[in-house]
Amino acid sequence: MKPGESPPRTLVKSVVKQRVTLPLHAPGMRIGLFGGSFNPAHDAHRAVSLLAMKKLKLDRLWWLVTPGNPLKDTRDLPPLEERIAQAAALAGHPRIDVTGFEAVIGTKYSCDTIKWLLDEAPGTHFVWIMGADNLKNFHHWKNWREIFLMLPVAVVDRGGLSLQAASGPAAISFAKARIPETRASALPGLTPPAWVYLHGVKSDLSSTAIRQARDRGSERDGG
């Protein structure tokens, strides 16, 4: 460098960790994670949550309202804030927390959300909660095997889907990791892979059916 010349500029990329306020959690707590678009949230979502909290003896259960399901058309999806507000109003339970933190941390897939959460809240006993309809198609999810290896999974029967879900690729792949429903309360403390199938919710109500019925009603009102 010649006299009087300024030193060359070095570009340093600033890496700032996203700050997210998570619902109540602590090491040792047993918390269920129930993800979905919740478009809209309905009584079956609440029934699944209450059943899971009871049988798994969970301290709390989080509804993870996603920005959008990568496997679905999200062009007509209502704003995230609107879906969170509607879900929170329907949940109406002191131990069900409704959150949309995935939009803040920028994760698109459940596997990435789980990785982030396990790193952010070490020592918390998280359990992934899903309906039998999701287990049936779980092999289409990104890194679905990895999800089973990261945390315990509880599958809740929805409208008699037991046979279809139990014969799917995910259930077959992890058949040896399934525990009997009588041991469900032990699931949150087990080392994955470990999963259980819970019975008790017979409702076949779905967000898709609600939207279709609502659309038909709007057409009649307008016609």
Side-chain angles (χ1 to χ4, degrees):
M1 184 173 65
K2 296 180 181 179
E5 289 184 344
S6 300
R9 296 178 62 189
T10 301
L11 299 178
V12 179
K13 183 178 180 181
S14 176
V15 178
V16 179
K17 188 176 181 180
Q18 291 276 20
R19 298 187 64 84
V20 180
T21 301
L22 293 174
L24 177 64
H25 65 283
M29 287 186 69
R30 302 153 66 100
I31 298 177
L33 304 174
F34 189 23
S37 300
F38 293 94
N39 179 33
H42 50 71
D43 288 338
H45 288 138
R46 192 173 190 276
V48 164
S49 301
L50 295 178
L51 180 74
M53 284 197 294
K54 178 181 179 180
K55 292 203 172 186
L56 303 178
K57 297 192 183 305
L58 300 176
D59 296 306
R60 305 191 74 82
L61 191 142
W62 298 358
W63 286 6
L64 309 183
V65 185
T66 65
N69 187 332
L71 298 178
K72 295 181 180 179
D73 185 351
T74 59
R75 286 175 294 183
D76 296 325
L77 192 64
L80 179 64
E81 295 76 10
E82 180 181 317
R83 287 180 284 126
I84 289 176
Q86 187 266 334
L90 184 136
H93 193 283
R95 292 192 290 122
I96 296 179
D97 299 293
V98 180
T99 176
F101 70 83
E102 285 179 298
V104 181
I105 65 176
T107 53
K108 189 176 181 181
Y109 297 97
S110 297
C111 59
D112 297 325
T113 297
I114 293 169
K115 286 179 185 177
W116 182 91
L117 200 50
L118 293 178
D119 181 62
E120 191 72 14
T124 304
H125 298 301
F126 290 112
V127 179
W128 190 256
I129 312 293
M130 62 179 170
D133 50 337
N134 277 324
L135 178 63
K136 183 177 64 172
N137 301 309
F138 201 61
H139 57 291
H140 293 303
W141 291 32
K142 179 184 178 183
N143 297 340
W144 61 274
R145 287 186 176 87
E146 191 173 342
I147 293 176
F148 267 91
L149 296 174
M150 285 194 289
L151 78 177
V153 175
V155 180
V156 182
D157 190 27
R158 287 285 310 279
L161 289 174
S162 300
L163 293 178
Q164 295 180 47
S167 61
I172 292 174
S173 294
F174 289 95
K176 293 182 179 180
R178 181 177 175 179
I179 67 172
E181 191 169 358
T182 53
R183 293 189 57 219
S185 63
L187 184 70
L190 296 181
T191 300
W195 68 284
V196 69
Y197 201 105
L198 303 177
H199 298 83
V201 176
K202 300 305 180 185
S203 172
D204 58 358
L205 188 66
S206 72
S207 296
T208 301
I210 291 174
R211 291 196 305 273
Q212 290 174 344
R214 184 175 58 199
D215 291 342
R216 287 194 296 269
S218 298
E219 290 174 0
R220 286 195 296 270
D221 292 342

